[in-house]
Amino acid sequence: MGVERRHALASAALGRTTTTSPEESPGQAALTGIAGQIIDISPHLVILENPDGEEERLVIAPWATAWHGRPTAPAELPAGTRVMIRARQSGRVAERLWGDITRVTGVILALGRDGRDLTVVLDCGPHRGTRNVVVPYGASGRIRVRHPQFEPGFLFDAIGTRRDGVTRVALPATSQPTYRAASVPSPPPAYRAVQSRISGTAAWSDAFDDGEAGVAYPMLERADSECEDAGVSCTGLPYLALGSMLYVGNVCESRGAVLPIVACGCMAGRFCDRCVECGTSPRGRIAELSPLSFVELGGELTNGCFNARVGLG
Amino acid sequence: MADMTDLTVLAALPQVPAFATAALALLVLLLVLGGAAKMATAGSDAEPGGLARLGPGALMPERWRKPFLMFCAGGECVLAAGLLFTRHPLPRWGTVAFFSVATYVLWELRRRRPDVGCGCFGEASGTPVGLRSIGRATALAGMAVLVTLVPVSGADLAARASLELAVAFGAGLALLVVLSPEVSETIARVRYRAPCEQRAVPVARTVSRLRASAEWRSHLPMLESDQPVDTWRELCWRFFVYRIKATAGAEVVFAVYLSGRRPPVRVAVVGADGATSTAGTIGTGGTPGTAHASGPAEGARAAGTTGAAEGSGSPGDGRLQESIGVSGRH
């Protein structure tokens, strides 16, 4: 039985309403995330094929910027690049393009060398498997300064590009936690006081299907989610399930959305970092969004996080 | 020879054997508790709260931390058994050495790693080492010296049961409680118990609560099987879905509240088209738990219909859930 019926069944049992309308964001124009592969691109127009195989044409705004391992002009993205686009005007005007962007979050298993480049084998959780990552010599300084414990057992989180099956990281996504992945600090003692929203940092992950909207949440019951590493978090998060609807709000942009929990955020739960997008967020990564949802909530993929607030949707 | 005379004199004093017996009981108690807690912590290494922040382990290379903790725990259990069952001087001198070394190590730990806890009782001793922990180790070393000079054993404990012994034991225990930072930590943990939404609750217990409910009994005849096709947990509720015999695609959903001995159970029959045909709650009518049980159920209903921020009278455990549930739709 699919988990997508869970929300409806739970609502029926508890007499809740099942409507899940996104939070109002007054004065904010809606953002649309569009994923696809570039067929053709010029300084003013991009034509791409979306995950359903349909062709989409978007006007590139004059102020638009792009990223392809480094900041670049949109027209310099080569045809065939997988892009994530932040668009306005009902998804017709592209203003930010990220080419071949990927994010690798996991536990370092092994390290090696390939010429001047470093190679890292990461365990990205039970359902995401093992990934091999190349840290190019040119990016190694930036990565190492934010990942001082470059040895097996420690966490790794970086953003880069994935082309021809090779992942090359370019930017650190966060400062590496000082503890080992198996030694996540316990959450602070819980108080009985009512807490309507839980604040922390929301990251993104590319463990979702192309163009999928959803969120990975760390505090799931292991038996229900078939994820042996779930249920670990350094923030006092309540238990939810795959299929639950989670409200995620971007504090920096005053945007919010109700998204389904579609994956187990076992890696997110191990990071006790803060996001400093707008002020300093409380400690702890409370959710991992799909790139599409992250972009639609106003997040910048290369920054890696935004200050978030979550609650049950 | 002089030592032997001193010992005889000491043992001949009327209160000393009672003090020594009380000290023996306290030493055995603390060694066993410490050993068990350390063993439990070493066993749960893979989970949050790594050994890096605990005790002398912090001073050791990483790969030695767990074996060291196990060795300490094993040593404490052996010393406790030696004190309790024999009068041989070896475990007594061993205990003196253990607590003397512990005092020195704690002092050193406080100087070199002021951020780590003593780890004396495993994870419970996460508070950074202070004078109280060091004082406790010193007091225990003193007790071990007394037990060495007056070699009492577990047999004396039973034979010398008296008011004097009880008073000495009580006084010693009070001293150790005052010197234990773990006590205030434990009280804080009990006082600020995690709300229901954050507590792990075994599925088997919830299943037995469901099967003891009147809702279950009334819907049992229509179920295809007594094994659920799906179960999941959301906040303080666990849901069970069962297929219905007669109607293809129709299902019964039970929602069981996870707190309380006789929790409220809510149920809905959902058709294949998603339409709810019946829904309701069976309180736990006529039982002492009724007042408590109706709180969260009422709160949930209020959350679904009126949007009230807090179900009136709902227990503390339910409030977080209701407020989250409601505010999510604003």
Side-chain angles (χ1 to χ4, degrees), chain A residues 5-6 12-13 15-16 23 180 182 184 190-191 194-197 221-222 224 236-241 244 312, chain B residues 46-49 62 192 195 197-199 230 232-235 238 251 266 276 304 319-320 323-324 327-328 330:
Chain A
R5 281 201 73 200
R6 284 180 175 177
R16 293 181 195 147
E23 181 139 318
R180 284 179 176 270
V184 183
Y191 293 84
V194 177
Q195 196 180 9
S196 65
R197 289 276 201 269
E221 286 268 13
R222 292 181 181 192
D224 301 345
L237 288 176
Y239 277 101
L240 292 176
S244 301
L312 185 69
Chain B
E47 281 303 298
E62 191 160 331
Y192 302 119
E197 292 80 1
Q198 294 176 21
R199 281 203 300 270
D230 193 16
W232 71 95
R233 176 187 177 173
E234 206 172 273
L235 301 175
R238 178 165 278 283
E251 286 157 334
R266 288 179 59 84
T276 308
R319 286 209 301 268
L320 173 68
S323 56
I324 286 180
S327 48
H330 280 296

Side-chain angles (χ1 to χ4, degrees), chain A residues 1-212:
Chain A
M1 187 176 139
V3 295
E4 56 278 358
R5 281 201 73 200
R6 284 180 175 177
H7 181 64
L9 291 171
S11 302
L14 296 182
R16 293 181 195 147
T17 50
T18 51
T19 50
T20 52
S21 57
E23 181 139 318
E24 297 296 320
S25 41
Q28 292 272 23
L31 296 175
T32 312
I34 298 169
Q37 193 162 19
I38 295 179
I39 298 172
D40 191 17
I41 191 163
S42 71
H44 307 294
L45 186 73
V46 57
I47 304 169
L48 51 98
E49 185 182 325
N50 69 16
D52 300 328
E54 292 160 9
E55 196 176 288
E56 294 206 37
R57 286 163 177 268
L58 280 84
V59 174
I60 298 177
W63 60 88
T65 52
W67 188 88
H68 196 218
R70 59 189 172 78
T72 180
E76 287 177 18
L77 292 171
T81 305
R82 269 186 328 108
V83 277
M84 173 53 70
I85 297 175
R86 184 173 72 211
R88 292 183 183 269
Q89 308 290 335
S90 313
R92 304 284 29 115
V93 179
E95 62 166 14
R96 183 86 172 117
L97 298 89
W98 295 272
D100 291 323
I101 192 163
T102 188
R103 178 173 184 154
V104 277
T105 310
V107 184
I108 301 173
L109 286 182
L111 298 159
R113 282 206 166 269
D114 179 14
R116 296 172 76 194
D117 300 341
L118 281 170
T119 57
V120 188
V121 183
L122 293 172
D123 171 19
C124 300
H127 52 293
R128 299 178 192 180
T130 312
R131 287 184 75 173
N132 291 294
V133 179
V134 177
V135 183
Y137 178 73
S140 62
R142 271 198 303 271
I143 298 289
R144 293 291 297 272
V145 80
R146 302 282 295 274
H147 290 82
Q149 309 272 14
F150 219 59
E151 53 185 285
F154 284 90
L155 290 157
F156 181 88
D157 191 10
I159 291 165
T161 54
R162 185 173 169 78
R163 258 169 286 176
D164 307 323
V166 180
T167 304
R168 302 169 76 83
V169 298
L171 303 166
T174 185
S175 290
Q176 183 187 40
T178 51
Y179 48 83
R180 284 179 176 270
S183 308
V184 183
S186 325
Y191 293 84
R192 281 171 185 262
V194 177
Q195 196 180 9
S196 65
R197 289 276 201 269
I198 296 151
S199 298
T201 143
W204 65 277
S205 155
D206 61 1
F208 298 84
D209 293 335
D210 265 354
E212 184 182 18

Side-chain angles (χ1 to χ4, degrees), chain B residues 2 10 21 24 26 69 84 107 150 166 222-223 237 243 273 279 300:
Chain B
L10 200 59
T21 316
L24 175 92
L26 288 167
L69 205 61
L84 201 57
W107 186 266
V150 186
M222 62 159 66
L223 304 185
W237 293 93
R243 288 218 174 89
D273 54 354

